[in-house]
Amino acid sequence: MGRQRVYVAIVFIPLFYFLVRYLPPWIFFLLVTGGILLGLHEFYGMYFRGEKRHEIPIGISAGGLAALTLSVGGVESWLTLMTGLVMALLLVEFCLARDMTRGMADGAVLVTGVLYVAGLLGHLILLRRLEGGEYLVFFVFLVTWAGDTGAYYSGKMLGRRKLAPVTSPNKTVEGAIGGLGLSVAASFLGKSWFLPSISVADALGLGIGLGILGQLGDLTESMFKRGAGVKDSSRLIPAHGGLLDRVDSLIFTAPALFHYLIWIKQYGRGISI
Amino acid sequence: MGRQRVYVAIVFIPLFYFLVRYLPPWIFFLLVTGGILLGLHEFYGMYFRGEKRHEIPIGISAGGLAALTLSVGGVESWLTLMTGLVMALLLVEFCLARDMTRGMADGAVLVTGVLYVAGLLGHLILLRRLEGGEYLVFFVFLVTWAGDTGAYYSGKMLGRRKLAPVTSPNKTVEGAIGGLGLSVAASFLGKSWFLPSISVADALGLGIGLGILGQLGDLTESMFKRGAGVKDSSRLIPAHGGLLDRVDSLIFTAPALFHYLIWIKQYGRGISI
């Protein structure tokens, strides 16, 4: 298990560095869109558990439309699309519902899937569209994966006290602390390596903030899996589980970094975005 | 029943005209916010059916925060809040979930309630904040209520063919057509009375579009009630049911009018908003 993880990392990390730094933005947008479609497939799969439901392709299509709008549209387009999708998806559920006692829950899951997977993970596209976006995307990946990896290995080596015994029995308090430490370290590494425009306070704040949010994102996704009675969201990547298992932390950290940058820009701090 | 509806209308319509036209915006915002809080109370009440759940006050508070942000914030604040609320509410559900098999559905309903009631109905606040917003709010109320009333009375007098026998057995095709006719008539009345800046094509398009969306909004809410096994969302107003029963059409028409206006302004059509 541990060794297989290392092999996957050896393949993916350099590949990823190349993808983020040297490929044109639209290829990055396509990759994120692919991830969103796959992530929604897993999300609805966990809820509908093998039932063949028309909601699944409709929700995935809505996620694709959201990714496209995030890639090429402006703020007004996002708001109009988001508003339209909430109405349209609830209406779709009204038309498709087989069992009215489940209509409200099914419609809500249909809407929430699009917001959770496409809306939150789609912030990677928004980050890439900012000035110097390739560095921002690389920064959020670096800090998030450092946190995940730090939590995994320090939990394995030092873990004693369970963090969330019911939903995620393998997580420990020691792992959480180790993950947070590595997130902060990665944030300072990112600042000194390729993101000099952020201040020391930003690097510390982002290391702590993204470190905590990444772990909370991981716990939130584990609730979905626990509800579905599965260990992994799918069997996509050997020893890493499904796509959602790999990006559950990013789903929380990418939006957090984007909105942090937007607001510090608002208040005239000298970061170039 | 019919007579009681007329009495309620006699009290509410002039009161409403006064409220919309002559009161300062912030009182209108407060009234809409009150409606949002009450609407969320009904929405979660239909889903949790009498269970005492901490999710209910938390979801209602989130709706209040959304209403406040719509009242005073700009586009960036709405996006940041919406993104933060999706993350925070799923996390809240992770912490509160008693039964993990329901966690995903409960979390999704928590999120969707805020989007459906506060996000959609909150467009009344956004409409009021546009230039000439008091007329726009009055217009959307007029067209929507004309559609509701037209559907009710023409369905009562002429109704033969059931429109949606399972979810809403009282609705008929004849009622839907009568409602649409009265929406279009109300739209032209609005244009000639107090909204001369919209074109004849706008008046026709808005009459038809809002007329249809209002009825779809009504059907969507009836799915929620049917799932909960209740006839009215609550017993707030004599013979009119709960608050959501009264505003279910507005929940779809207010956002539609707002986004229509935003987009025709974008394309340089001469409407003053």
Side-chain angles (χ1 to χ4, degrees):
Chain A
M1 170 79 173
R3 188 174 297 181
Q4 237 179 334
R5 270 185 182 245
V6 173
Y7 292 153
V8 170
I10 287 173
V11 175
F12 273 92
I13 290 178
L15 182 71
F16 178 74
Y17 181 80
F18 174 76
L19 287 178
V20 165
R21 285 291 311 280
Y22 297 107
L23 283 188
W26 68 269
I27 295 188
F28 180 73
F29 297 166
L30 275 182
L31 288 168
V32 175
T33 303
I36 286 172
L37 301 180
L38 202 54
L40 275 169
H41 182 76
E42 291 181 1
F43 185 89
Y44 294 131
M46 286 192 283
Y47 181 73
F48 290 112
R49 303 196 209 180
E51 278 184 87
K52 288 249 173 287
R53 293 284 293 255
H54 297 302
E55 284 89 340
I56 300 175
I58 290 170
I60 293 174
S61 309
L65 198 61
L68 180 69
T69 308
L70 292 170
S71 303
V72 299
V75 172
E76 285 180 1
S77 321
W78 309 336
L79 283 175
T80 301
L81 185 81
M82 205 107 93
T83 307
L85 281 182
V86 172
M87 289 162 50
L89 292 174
L90 290 175
L91 201 56
V92 157
E93 184 56 39
F94 165 77
C95 297
L96 294 180
R98 292 183 192 167
D99 169 1
M100 278 295 152
T101 58
R102 276 185 55 182
M104 195 165 181
D106 288 0
V109 168
L110 190 60
V111 168
T112 302
V114 174
L115 291 166
Y116 173 73
V117 182
L120 298 184
L121 195 57
H123 278 81
L124 285 175
I125 293 173
L126 299 184
L127 278 175
R128 184 66 183 81
R129 289 179 66 184
L130 295 175
E131 206 185 311
E134 63 273 43
Y135 298 102
L136 298 171
V137 167
F138 194 54
F139 180 79
V140 76
F141 271 95
L142 192 72
V143 174
T144 308
W145 281 352
D148 284 355
T149 310
Y152 180 79
Y153 286 104
S154 61
K156 227 173 144 80
M157 290 185 293
L158 311 168
R160 298 232 182 287
R161 276 156 292 187
K162 298 282 183 204
L163 186 68
V166 180
T167 38
S168 214
N170 290 328
K171 294 206 173 58
T172 60
V173 176
E174 292 77 9
I177 294 168
L180 190 57
L182 227 62
S183 285
V184 173
S187 180
F188 278 99
L189 174 69
K191 171 185 161 43
S192 56
W193 179 14
F194 56 81
L195 210 61
S197 61
I198 64 172
S199 69
V200 171
D202 284 331
L204 183 65
L206 285 172
I208 295 173
L210 299 180
I212 293 174
L213 279 172
Q215 299 194 27
L216 293 177
D218 192 341
L219 287 172
T220 301
E221 198 247 347
S222 65
M223 169 177 76
F224 299 150
K225 285 192 292 191
R226 186 64 32 167
V230 294
K231 194 189 154 290
D232 295 326
S233 60
S234 80
R235 292 175 195 287
L236 184 71
I237 315 166
H240 277 75
L243 180 98
L244 282 183
D245 298 320
R246 284 294 80 201
V247 300
D248 50 12
S249 306
L250 268 179
I251 285 179
F252 273 33
T253 53
L257 176 61
F258 179 80
H259 290 282
Y260 182 83
L261 294 170
I262 289 294
W263 284 98
I264 66 174
K265 190 190 174 193
Q266 189 94 330
Y267 287 109
R269 300 257 303 285
I271 191 166
S272 64
I273 59 164
Chain B
M1 170 81 171
R3 191 176 294 183
Q4 236 178 333
R5 270 184 182 243
V6 173
Y7 293 153
V8 171
I10 287 171
V11 176
F12 273 91
I13 289 177
L15 181 70
F16 178 75
Y17 180 83
F18 174 78
L19 288 178
V20 166
R21 285 292 310 281
Y22 298 107
L23 284 188
W26 67 269
I27 295 189
F28 180 74
F29 297 166
L30 276 183
L31 289 169
V32 174
T33 303
I36 286 172
L37 301 179
L38 202 54
L40 275 169
H41 182 77
E42 291 181 2
F43 185 89
Y44 294 130
M46 285 193 282
Y47 181 73
F48 290 112
R49 304 195 209 182
E51 279 183 86
K52 289 252 174 283
R53 295 284 292 255
H54 296 302
E55 284 90 339
I56 300 176
I58 291 170
I60 293 173
S61 310
L65 198 61
L68 180 69
T69 308
L70 292 171
S71 302
V72 300
V75 172
E76 285 179 1
S77 322
W78 308 337
L79 283 175
T80 300
L81 184 82
M82 204 105 93
T83 306
L85 282 181
V86 171
M87 289 161 52
L89 292 173
L90 290 176
L91 202 56
V92 158
E93 182 57 40
F94 166 77
C95 299
L96 294 178
R98 292 182 191 168
D99 170 1
M100 278 294 154
T101 59
R102 273 185 56 181
M104 195 165 181
D106 289 0
V109 167
L110 190 59
V111 168
T112 302
V114 174
L115 291 167
Y116 174 73
V117 182
L120 298 184
L121 196 57
H123 278 80
L124 285 175
I125 293 173
L126 299 184
L127 277 175
R128 183 67 181 82
R129 289 178 66 184
L130 295 175
E131 206 186 310
E134 63 272 43
Y135 297 103
L136 298 172
V137 167
F138 194 53
F139 180 78
V140 76
F141 271 95
L142 192 70
V143 174
T144 309
W145 280 352
D148 284 355
T149 310
Y152 180 79
Y153 285 105
S154 60
K156 227 175 144 81
M157 289 186 293
L158 311 168
R160 298 233 182 286
R161 275 156 294 184
K162 298 284 183 204
L163 185 68
V166 179
T167 38
S168 214
N170 290 328
K171 293 205 174 56
T172 58
V173 176
E174 292 77 8
I177 294 168
L180 189 57
L182 226 64
S183 284
V184 173
S187 180
F188 277 100
L189 174 70
K191 169 183 162 43
S192 56
W193 179 13
F194 56 82
L195 210 60
S197 62
I198 63 172
S199 69
V200 171
D202 285 330
L204 183 65
L206 285 170
I208 294 173
L210 300 179
I212 293 174
L213 280 170
Q215 300 194 25
L216 294 177
D218 193 340
L219 287 172
T220 300
E221 198 248 346
S222 66
M223 169 176 77
F224 299 149
K225 285 192 293 191
R226 184 65 33 167
V230 295
K231 196 189 153 287
D232 295 327
S233 61
S234 81
R235 293 177 193 284
L236 184 72
I237 315 166
H240 278 74
L243 180 96
L244 282 184
D245 298 322
R246 284 295 80 202
V247 300
D248 50 12
S249 307
L250 268 178
I251 284 178
F252 273 32
T253 53
L257 178 61
F258 179 80
H259 290 282
Y260 181 84
L261 293 170
I262 290 294
W263 284 98
I264 64 173
K265 191 188 176 195
Q266 189 95 330
Y267 288 110
R269 299 257 307 282
I271 191 168
S272 64
I273 56 164

